[in-house]
């Protein structure tokens, strides 16, 4: 290093490249020229080097000539600046930077953490429920009232759940709303005879108890014939995945696919669909082992807000388990009890509960 008048460092791809920095650090007399590939991470710091594209042979030759004929005073100026940078950003500086960033990340995690629904909180929730004059319960279905099933059509409600929902809905001044991404036909078949409200397909179809189904707003579905072939391509490439077609949305399910392959294909499909739906009135939503393409602006939160306006309540409880339920939590007023089902995920919900089993236990306590 100390003998070399020019250092030529030309990686095609390099995270940092310490050779370039070692060369700079060794030049005690500050004479010497560094030629550095723009594809090395160090190029973002050592801007006083001659930066080149390593695949451009003409540029490389010109850089070598420039280095060999560079005046001594310019060499000293460039090397002094690079040495100051190398000295400043030493191993201790990098360690401090990383540790500070980790500490900041952990602090942000704590601020976004959701409190567990402890016995103390549960006691207060029950007291508020029984003291309320009007109650509104917004309940997600899959992953909240029932566990997930490899075949979504086999996740039908058991008799216990049906009796529980009926008992809650028949309590005075209590509205029970199933707010789900499922299609209205399935939920109507499973629970339509109960005196409860429905918000289905993430807010597309609405039905208050005893009334007819209505659309949240006029929607179009002519785009489905263009995007379905894309989903069919990923079904062919991902064993175990399948397509669900709703009235105004398409869903790609990969719960039955190999876990690793499913996640890889989901990321690929998400990127593909995001590109295709850019600058359109469509959106791509991620759920629990699903990707859904639907009309933009229609989501659980918008429908929940409509229910909150139509049926004011002084006790509100919203339960959900995945990203689509975050829209519901966002729409709820601060005093509402919002509960995320499952552990580990950050959420806008105030509280967290472990599983659908615990959800049913909580709902049974409301009847006590």
């Amino acid at each position: 290093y100390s003998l070399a008048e020019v250092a030529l460092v030309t990686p095609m791809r390099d995270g940092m490249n310490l050779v370039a920095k070692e060369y700079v650090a060794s030049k005690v007399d500050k004479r010497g020229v560094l030629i550095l590939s723009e594809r090395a991470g160090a190029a973002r710091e050592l801007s006083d080097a001659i930066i080149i594209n390593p695949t451009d042979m003409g540029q490389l030759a010109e850089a070598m000539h420039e280095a060999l004929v560079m005046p001594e005073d310019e060499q000293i100026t460039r090397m002094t600046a690079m040495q100051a940078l190398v000295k400043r950003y030493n191993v201790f500086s990098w360690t401090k930077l990383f540790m500070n960033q980790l500490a900041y990340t952990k602090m942000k995690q704590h601020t976004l953490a959701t409190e567990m629904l402890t016995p103390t909180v549960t006691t207060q929730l029950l007291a508020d429920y029984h003291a309320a004059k009007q109650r509104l319960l917004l309940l997600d279905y899959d992953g909240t009232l029932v566990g997930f099933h490899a075949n979504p059509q086999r996740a039908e409600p058991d008799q216990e759940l049906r009796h529980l929902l009926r008992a809650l809905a028949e309590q005075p001044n209590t509205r029970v709303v199933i707010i789900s991404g499922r299609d209205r036909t399935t939920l109507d078949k499973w629970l339509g005879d109960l005196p409860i409200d429905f918000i289905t397909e993430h807010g597309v179809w609405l039905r208050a108890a005893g009334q007819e189904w209505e659309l949240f707003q006029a929607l179009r579905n002519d785009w489905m014939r263009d995007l379905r072939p894309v989903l069919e391509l990923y079904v062919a490439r991902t064993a175990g995945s399948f397509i669900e077609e709703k009235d105004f949305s398409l869903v790609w399910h990969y719960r039955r696919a190999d876990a690793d392959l499913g996640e890889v294909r989901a990321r690929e499909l998400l990127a593909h669909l995001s590109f295709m739906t850019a600058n359109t009135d469509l959106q791509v939503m991620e759920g629990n082992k699903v990707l859904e393409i639907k009309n933009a602006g229609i989501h659980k939160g918008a429908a929940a807000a409509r229910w909150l306006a139509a049926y004011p309540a002084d006790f509100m409880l919203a339960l959900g388990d995945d990203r689509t339920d975050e829209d519901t939590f966002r729409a709820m007023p601060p005093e509402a009890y919002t509960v995320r089902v499952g552990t580990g995920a950050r959420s806008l919900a105030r509280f967290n509960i472990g599983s659908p089993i615990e959800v049913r236990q909580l709902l049974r306590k409301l009847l006590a």
Side-chain angles (χ1 to χ4, degrees), residues 63-81:
M64 294 173 66
H65 178 265
E66 180 184 354
L68 291 171
V69 301
M70 183 177 291
E72 192 172 278
D73 58 341
E74 184 178 349
Q75 294 182 33
I76 294 173
T77 299
R78 286 173 178 250
M79 192 62 68
T80 299

Side-chain angles (χ1 to χ4, degrees), residues 263-284:
E263 290 298 330
V264 170
R265 291 288 186 263
R267 300 277 72 76
E268 293 175 359
L269 179 56
L270 178 62
H272 194 159
L273 292 174
S274 296
F275 174 77
M276 293 188 67
T277 58
N279 301 316
T280 71
D281 58 352
L282 301 175
Q283 63 176 326
V284 184

